[in-house]
Amino acid sequence: MRSGVVAFVSGWIGGAFVALALAGALYQLLAARLLARLLRPAAAPEPGPPPGITVLKPLHGAEPGLRGALESLLAQDYQGPLQIVFGVQNPADPAQAVVGELRRAYPDRDIALVIDPTPHGANRKIANLINMRRLARHEVLVLADSDIVAPPGYLKGLAAALQAPGVGLVTCPYHGQAAGGGWSRLAAMGLSYQFLPSVAAGVGLGLAQPSMGSTIALRADVLDQAGGLQAFADVLADDYALGAAVRAAGWGTCVAPVLVAHNCTEETLAEVVRHELRWARTVRGVDPAGFAGSFVTYPTPLAVIAVILTSGGAPALAALAAALACRAWVRSEVDRRVGGPSGPWWWLPLRDGLSFAIFMGSFFVRAVDWRGDRFQVDPQGGLRRI
């Protein structure tokens, strides 16, 4: 009798997971379709002189691929005034040598380097940006992470998007690009095949208004209206918080159809897990309900659970086949958009399993590792170094 009840309950739960896996497979197809809309070229901007742009690039260490990422800014075809400000907090930071090489290679470019250890809160990236901003000379500020590789039309696309009526902040999506060995490829696959389709779906369905640290472009006066950089000095999700503050100040935010690459530099599985747990914990803190609902975006692990619970029942096996096929389709669509694969096709089920484990593990995370420091995260997303 008892074994019969267990089998009934297991079968019922397994059926629920079959339904979830099929829903997730349909979601994958929708995300692939919405990716094309996300990256659709924008209308030509209004004629007129392009605005002056200051790019603020906070640096921390000479990570793999750093020179190429920074050099992608110097290769821009932007016709307006352009200033690039790099910043480090440690006077011995080896990233300074990379900046020196670029200054010698591009003597005609307006390049500045700020070396300032002044702390302004627990968020060291924001502290670095605060120290750098005092040298900014132009109307438009672009805040971009050091590991972002930009295409030639990057700045032109950001400036065009900022010209839209009522837009105060522009961000852009990104995919993963391995800058190291196998673990960095695994990390890149997570960004390309899980994160990027989720951004496309969230924006396309009107469920998300992202503001991503890959790139944030806004006018200096809008930043001041949003409270200035100091307002985010103790916040984990500083990029999201800045977007929310800009909207609270009466401005709109948008995602420009400019796809950039994020250099993944992880050398061990532990690094991959630490980085992704921090990102997942950040998203969970920003939108707890939406994050919990993203459970359905992992169709392959859900189908595997269904197969286990139903002892290999035909519906569960069919759901697993559908999940694998839809994930393969998403991968092919992303690869077509970014110009090549982020990792081997046969790694995708393993990558999906790791992504699901990270998702589940994030519900138990109370502290995060960031650039060698460990922080306690409060329920409001505030940081406290521990």
Side-chain angles (χ1 to χ4, degrees):
M1 178 68 177
R2 186 174 183 179
S3 61
V5 171
V6 171
F8 174 79
V9 172
S10 178
W12 186 89
I13 297 175
F17 273 93
V18 167
L20 287 170
L22 291 174
L26 291 175
Y27 166 87
Q28 295 295 320
L29 295 179
L30 178 62
R33 183 177 182 85
L34 292 175
L35 181 61
R37 183 189 299 179
L38 182 74
L39 301 178
R40 183 180 301 156
E46 294 294 327
I53 292 179
T54 292
V55 180
L56 301 180
K57 274 275 188 181
L59 307 179
H60 181 87
E63 56 202 3
L66 180 63
R67 171 159 180 163
L70 303 186
E71 200 162 17
S72 68
L73 280 174
L74 301 171
Q76 293 294 302
D77 57 4
Y78 190 67
Q79 300 302 310
L82 174 61
Q83 175 195 28
I84 301 173
V85 180
F86 299 112
V88 296
Q89 291 187 291
N90 183 351
D93 195 311
Q96 295 178 70
V98 178
V99 175
E101 293 172 6
L102 293 175
R103 277 175 152 171
R104 291 188 292 273
Y106 298 88
D108 57 327
R109 290 292 193 179
D110 185 357
I111 300 174
L113 174 64
V114 173
I115 306 171
D116 190 342
T118 306
H120 298 276
N123 189 320
R124 293 170 60 186
K125 171 186 166 183
I126 292 295
N128 204 355
L129 287 168
I130 291 172
N131 296 335
M132 296 158 62
R133 192 191 169 186
R134 59 184 170 81
L135 293 190
R137 296 190 289 101
H138 295 307
E139 168 192 1
V140 173
L141 301 176
V142 174
L143 320 179
D145 288 345
S146 61
D147 48 18
I148 293 302
V149 181
Y154 169 69
L155 293 178
K156 186 185 295 184
L158 295 176
L162 269 178
Q163 289 186 27
V167 171
L169 180 150
V170 174
T171 191
C172 59
Y174 56 96
H175 66 93
Q177 175 175 283
W183 295 119
S184 69
R185 296 172 77 186
L186 192 69
M189 292 176 70
L191 293 177
S192 295
Y193 305 139
Q194 187 68 38
F195 170 77
L196 179 58
S198 294
V199 170
V203 173
L205 297 174
L207 301 175
Q209 293 180 298
S211 176
M212 294 172 281
S214 56
T215 292
I216 292 177
L218 72 174
R219 291 184 298 278
D221 62 315
V222 172
L223 176 58
D224 292 335
Q225 292 173 40
L229 290 168
Q230 185 63 54
F232 314 103
D234 290 304
V235 178
L236 175 61
D238 52 86
D239 45 5
Y240 174 85
L242 178 53
V246 167
R247 289 189 292 272
W251 295 92
T253 60
C254 76
V255 180
V258 179
L259 184 63
V260 300
H262 170 98
N263 269 342
C264 297
T265 61
E266 291 84 350
E267 296 180 347
T268 65
L269 177 59
E271 282 189 59
V272 176
V273 171
R274 282 196 300 269
H275 290 178
E276 296 189 6
L277 275 176
R278 175 170 62 83
W279 294 334
R281 176 61 184 83
T282 301
V283 176
R284 184 168 72 83
V286 164
D287 182 13
F291 182 77
S294 67
F295 179 79
V296 78
T297 67
Y298 302 93
T300 303
L302 294 175
V304 169
I305 294 172
V307 169
I308 294 171
L309 290 173
T310 62
S311 301
L317 291 173
L320 178 58
L324 291 171
C326 290
R327 288 294 288 150
W329 175 252
V330 166
R331 179 184 181 274
S332 68
E333 285 296 292
V334 171
D335 289 350
R336 185 164 64 87
R337 301 287 173 183
V338 307
S342 297
W345 65 267
W346 51 274
W347 283 15
L348 189 56
L350 298 175
R351 175 62 257 193
D352 287 352
L354 177 61
S355 295
F356 186 68
I358 295 290
F359 168 80
M360 296 301 295
S362 69
F363 288 95
F364 305 96
V365 169
R366 296 293 178 269
V368 297
D369 293 289
W370 193 3
R371 296 287 194 181
D373 291 321
R374 191 159 179 79
F375 297 92
Q376 189 78 34
V377 184
D378 65 30
Q380 289 72 44
L383 290 174
R384 181 175 62 85
R385 187 177 280 110
I386 56 178

